[in-house]
Structure formats: structure tokens, C-alpha cells
Amino acid sequence: MNQKELQVLQEKIGTLQTKLNISQRLIHAIGLVNSTLDLSTVLDMLMSLACQLVNAEASSILLLDEEKGQLYFAAATGKKKEEVRKIYLDRGEGIAGWVAEHGQPMFVPDVSKDARFSSKVDKLSGFKTQSILAVPLKIENKLIGVAEVVNKKDSGNFGPDDLELLQTLSTTGALAIQKAHLYQDLNDLFIGTVRAIADAVEAKDPYTRGHCERMRKFSLVIAEGLNLTEKEMKDIELAALLHDVGKIGVPEKILLKESKLTDEEWQTIKKHPVIGAEILSGIKQLHSALPGVRYHHERYDGKGYPEGLNAEKIPLVARILAVTDAYDAMTSTRPYREACPEEKANQELIRLKGIQFDPKCVDIFLQSKNTER
């Protein structure tokens, strides 16, 4: 083998090695994108991976709003990405609009020389677009959006290899986006059903209208302050919305009674956490939220119900709900009394720290209220 043949062989080996490295990165990228069902996470991953794979300065993903027939920036890089997300493009408008209209990829090496380029994003963000590589996002030939990468780093130009990489990533990305959309739709349906159940319970007692939703908001504030995981926050949200579902089994004449309850009536009321947990126990998706439903009337000192648990033997979700349930009850008008002032309710929470309530949950809740002011 002469020197020239050796050089050609080395170049082929180098090309193959480069393609192998790129393939490995692409396989890794595809694995990452398929590792989650959260839509915002999928979109952020796709943008980040697109930039890495083709060495671009920035990227964005536009999805098709079928009702409006327009593209919107579902995800974008940069400091003003939230503002950018409010921008809509008609089909045919801008480079992304052209790609959506024709269903074909497009590379523009110098946008200043292409009349199809829309400067909306640059004007808003202050970013300077020089070149764009855009590809359609499709599911079985149905357009769902457009993926863009902007400005090749090191003053280079996007090439055929970049296009191939972006198209491969966009194929996987479109499937991941569709899965995330379906998951989000199912989750929205599930939460909607949970809210409907909570509304049905509250309909029995007009004085508690909105109580579950307020508890949900208050409880998530405490959960954030405790740095709980997304899964734990979801359990708290569900438990807050459903904590009183057991009142379905309590007669309205007891729930709406304006005078003092008899001992027998009070014992009936005290059954609602257990009834609620039993009603929901057949729903697999709610199992980890059930401790909040069952134990939200336990007290930190062990004098609560239904089991007389104390301190940290009470599940955390129930300790959180105990604080927010009591606060909302105190600050809401009920058949037997008027709502008390917010400051008085705050003082009552402080007085009962370590007695009825988890001190840490009370502190975080009150701190968040002070911060809002």
C-alpha cells in the first residue's frame, strides 16, 4: 500500500469514527428524550440536544395550535424565552412557517438575504440570527410543529450531516412530544375528575365552597418550602382536593347544623377520614395520596383521630393538610360562626405549634404569607 492509498484509508477510518461518535451521541440523546413524559422536560431536552449535536448557538421548538392554525414557540433558549413563547406565526410566515407550510426542511445560510425570514423573535429577544436550519416535526405525515437550530458556532455553516442529525432527532422528538401530550391529556382528565368529585362533596355544604382548592394552593406552598419531590407534591395536591370526600357519607343535617353537635353526631363526623380513604382505596393512582385523606385530622400531640398518631408518626402529607385545613376553616364563614380575621388565625396556628400542628409546617406556611406581603 502506497502513501496515497494509506492516506485515503486513514481518512475513511476517520470519517467512520466521526460517524460512530455522532451515532453514539444520537443514541444517547434519543434515550434521554424518551426517558420522561413531562412535556416541558421533553422540549427542553430536545432543544439542548439539538444544539449539542449540530453545535448551534440556540434552538427553538414551535408546535402547531390546531385551533388557531398557527405555530407558537413552545420552547426557546435565551433570557427572554418566556416572552418568546407568546409569539405566534402563521403557516407560511417566517422560515418555520415555510417549513410547516411545505413539510420540508430548510437551511438559510444568511437570513438577511432571505425575504421569508421573520425578525419577530430577534426584535423581542435582542438575539442576532444569522443562519437557520429548520425541520418539520411529523407524526405519520401529520405536522405537529417545527424544530429550529440557529447560528452554527465557530462561524461555520450547517451541512448535510447536521440536517441528517436534526431530522433523526426530530423524528424521535415528535414521538416523544406526542407521548407527552397524551400523558398530559390523561393527567388533565384525571385531575378534572378529581376536582369534579371534590366539587360534588362541597355542593352538599355551600359554606365550604372553594375550600378544597384553597387547601390545595396552601398545601403546595408548604410542600415547596419543604423541597418535596414532584411526585410528593402531586400526592399532596390530590390529597388536598379529596381530603373531605368521606363527607359524602355524613348526613347534611349534621354538616349544616348551626348549633352544637351532640356526641353521637360528632362521632359520625369523625368517621369521614376513614370513609374517604375507603372510597378511594380502589383507585390505584390515588394510593400514595390516601394517607393525607385518612390522617389529616390527627394531631401532633396524639389527641387527634382516627388513630391517635402523634408527631412524625403522622404522614407528612397529613401534617401539611392539618395546617391548611385548620387555617382555611378559621378564615371561612361556617354555619355556626363567622370567619375570624387572618391575623387571629395566624396567631392560633402559632399557639398550637407542637400541640395540634407540626411546627415546621406552620413556620413555612406563615413565612410564605409574610413573603407575599
Side-chain angles (χ1 to χ4, degrees):
M1 181 179 293
N2 59 37
Q3 186 67 30
K4 186 175 181 180
E5 290 173 332
L6 180 61
Q7 184 178 350
V8 171
L9 181 60
Q10 288 175 334
E11 288 176 355
K12 287 183 178 180
I13 292 173
T15 301
L16 288 172
Q17 185 63 52
T18 300
K19 288 186 176 181
L20 178 61
N21 291 339
I22 290 174
S23 297
Q24 290 174 336
R25 289 165 59 196
L26 188 55
I27 290 170
H28 178 65
I30 290 171
L32 287 174
V33 170
N34 284 320
S35 66
T36 178
L37 288 172
D38 179 70
L39 181 59
S40 62
T41 303
V42 168
L43 295 175
D44 287 342
M45 280 185 174
L46 284 172
M47 287 192 306
S48 176
L49 292 167
C51 285
Q52 292 175 33
L53 287 170
V54 302
N55 199 28
E57 286 185 12
S59 63
S60 59
I61 294 176
L62 298 91
L63 296 180
L64 179 64
D65 184 325
E66 294 187 357
E67 289 186 4
K68 294 183 177 181
Q70 295 177 305
L71 294 167
Y72 66 95
F73 284 82
T77 54
K79 294 180 180 179
K80 294 192 176 182
K81 58 185 179 182
E82 294 304 320
E83 289 87 345
V84 169
R85 287 177 181 175
K86 299 174 184 177
I87 295 177
Y88 277 75
L89 297 176
D90 293 324
R91 282 201 178 201
E93 182 183 2
I95 304 302
W98 186 95
V99 171
E101 184 73 17
H102 294 83
Q104 299 293 325
M106 186 178 187
F107 168 54
V108 180
D110 186 351
V111 298
S112 66
K113 298 178 180 179
D114 196 307
R116 291 168 294 189
F117 174 66
S118 171
S119 60
K120 283 183 178 179
V121 174
D122 282 8
K123 288 179 180 178
L124 179 62
S125 65
F127 185 82
K128 176 64 176 176
T129 301
Q130 297 169 332
S131 61
I132 291 179
L133 175 62
V135 299
L137 294 167
K138 293 182 178 180
I139 299 290
E140 296 179 351
N141 292 322
K142 179 184 177 182
L143 182 86
I144 66 166
V146 175
E148 294 181 333
V149 287
V150 177
N151 297 356
K152 184 84 167 179
K153 290 182 179 178
D154 303 323
S155 302
N157 286 321
F158 295 115
D161 288 342
D162 297 318
L163 175 59
E164 184 178 352
L165 282 169
L166 191 60
Q167 283 183 312
T168 302
L169 183 63
S170 69
T171 299
T172 301
L175 290 171
I177 290 170
Q178 184 189 47
K179 284 196 300 183
H181 266 310
L182 289 172
Y183 176 77
Q184 184 171 293
D185 288 345
L186 284 172
N187 188 61
D188 290 346
L189 176 61
F190 179 63
I191 292 296
T193 302
V194 168
R195 289 183 187 278
I197 294 171
D199 289 345
V201 175
E202 290 185 346
K204 293 187 68 176
D205 182 359
Y207 286 94
T208 62
R209 187 74 42 92
H211 169 63
C212 293
E213 177 60 25
R214 291 191 296 272
M215 266 190 68
R216 183 191 72 83
K217 292 179 180 178
F218 294 151
S219 298
L220 287 177
V221 166
I222 297 176
E224 289 175 3
L226 290 169
N227 295 315
L228 300 188
T229 65
E230 184 177 340
K231 173 63 170 61
E232 289 169 325
M233 302 231 343
K234 179 60 68 177
D235 290 340
I236 287 167
E237 181 177 23
L238 292 171
L241 289 171
L242 294 169
H243 73 286
D244 272 346
V245 72
K247 287 184 177 179
I248 287 176
V250 178
E252 289 182 26
K253 65 180 182 179
I254 296 178
L255 286 177
L256 302 178
K257 188 175 181 180
E258 297 186 12
S259 57
K260 185 178 179 180
L261 296 177
T262 65
D263 289 343
E264 183 179 354
E265 289 169 336
W266 180 236
Q267 291 305 314
T268 300
I269 284 281
K270 288 171 68 174
K271 291 177 182 177
H272 82 269
V274 174
I275 293 172
E278 289 176 351
I279 289 172
L280 302 172
S281 63
I283 305 173
K284 181 177 68 174
Q285 294 86 346
L286 294 175
H287 279 185
S288 51
L290 292 185
V293 176
R294 187 180 186 92
Y295 299 118
H296 68 279
H297 280 297
E298 298 287 1
R299 289 171 52 110
Y300 205 72
D301 60 6
K303 296 180 180 179
Y305 61 90
E307 296 179 19
L309 302 180
N310 72 299
E312 295 191 4
K313 291 179 182 178
I314 306 169
L316 178 58
V317 57
R319 282 181 271 147
I320 291 172
L321 297 189
V323 173
T324 58
D325 191 21
Y327 176 81
D328 190 66
M330 286 188 285
T331 55
S332 301
T333 297
R334 294 297 168 90
Y336 46 87
R337 58 152 177 80
E338 291 295 316
C340 76
E342 181 180 333
E343 190 55 40
K344 183 178 179 181
N346 294 346
Q347 291 302 317
E348 191 68 4
L349 291 181
I350 293 170
R351 184 180 73 83
L352 292 171
K353 282 199 309 180
I355 301 172
Q356 183 172 345
F357 307 117
D358 182 333
K360 191 170 185 179
C361 292
V362 171
D363 289 342
I364 290 173
F365 180 57
L366 294 179
Q367 285 169 10
S368 70
K369 292 171 84 270
N370 289 334
T371 302
E372 289 177 1
R373 292 172 185 167

